[in-house]
Amino acid sequence: MNLFSSPSPPTSPPPPKASPDGAFEAPNRTARSACWTARDAFFACLDAHGIVDSIGHQEEAARCCGAEEQGLRRDCASSWVTYFKQRRVMEFKRKQTLEKLAAEGARPMPEGMGPPRLESGR
């Protein structure tokens, strides 16, 4: 290894193919499955190390789960990686909020007892 060399960046999935109308094709079932498997492996590693927010604790996540994160980046589109990481934090906060409300004795509102919904077309 050279003194000034840097580690090679993780390989990313091939770019999506453009369809005849110019739009990009969505990943097929196999690609989505590989992505979800990589996501599950990364999240299992984060869980094992007690890390919820891999964006806010990026260095710790990279140190503990670097290989799993490289797999996630390799098998998923970058927008999916960001979405999965943000959703993990959101789901954790949501669960904490619901547990806190339940501990305070909060009950779910009866059906139809919320703010009025706007009808489509308005």
Side-chain angles (χ1 to χ4, degrees):
M1 185 165 119
N2 184 324
L3 180 62
F4 297 105
S5 68
S6 62
S8 60
T11 58
S12 57
K17 299 174 188 170
S19 64
D21 65 357
F24 291 103
E25 294 179 6
N28 63 23
R29 182 179 299 191
T30 305
R32 288 191 309 269
S33 179
C35 175
W36 295 331
T37 300
R39 175 203 60 191
D40 293 345
F42 179 57
F43 285 178
C45 181
L46 293 176
D47 289 341
H49 291 91
I51 303 169
V52 173
D53 185 358
S54 62
I55 296 172
H57 299 98
Q58 191 171 5
E59 290 179 11
E60 185 180 1
R63 182 172 39 82
C64 298
C65 304
E68 290 83 356
E69 185 172 15
Q70 283 183 349
L72 180 67
R73 291 185 182 282
R74 180 192 63 234
D75 294 338
C76 301
S78 62
S79 60
W80 286 30
V81 172
T82 303
Y83 171 78
F84 290 148
K85 289 180 175 184
Q86 290 173 343
R87 181 163 176 103
R88 176 179 167 87
V89 174
M90 184 273 303
E91 288 289 337
F92 178 78
K93 289 179 179 179
R94 178 180 179 270
K95 182 180 175 187
Q96 281 187 319
T97 300
L98 291 174
E99 288 172 354
K100 179 182 174 189
L101 289 171
E104 293 173 353
R107 295 185 324 244
M109 291 176 58
E111 195 65 33
M113 289 285 303
R117 294 182 183 215
L118 295 177
E119 295 177 26
S120 62
R122 281 194 189 180

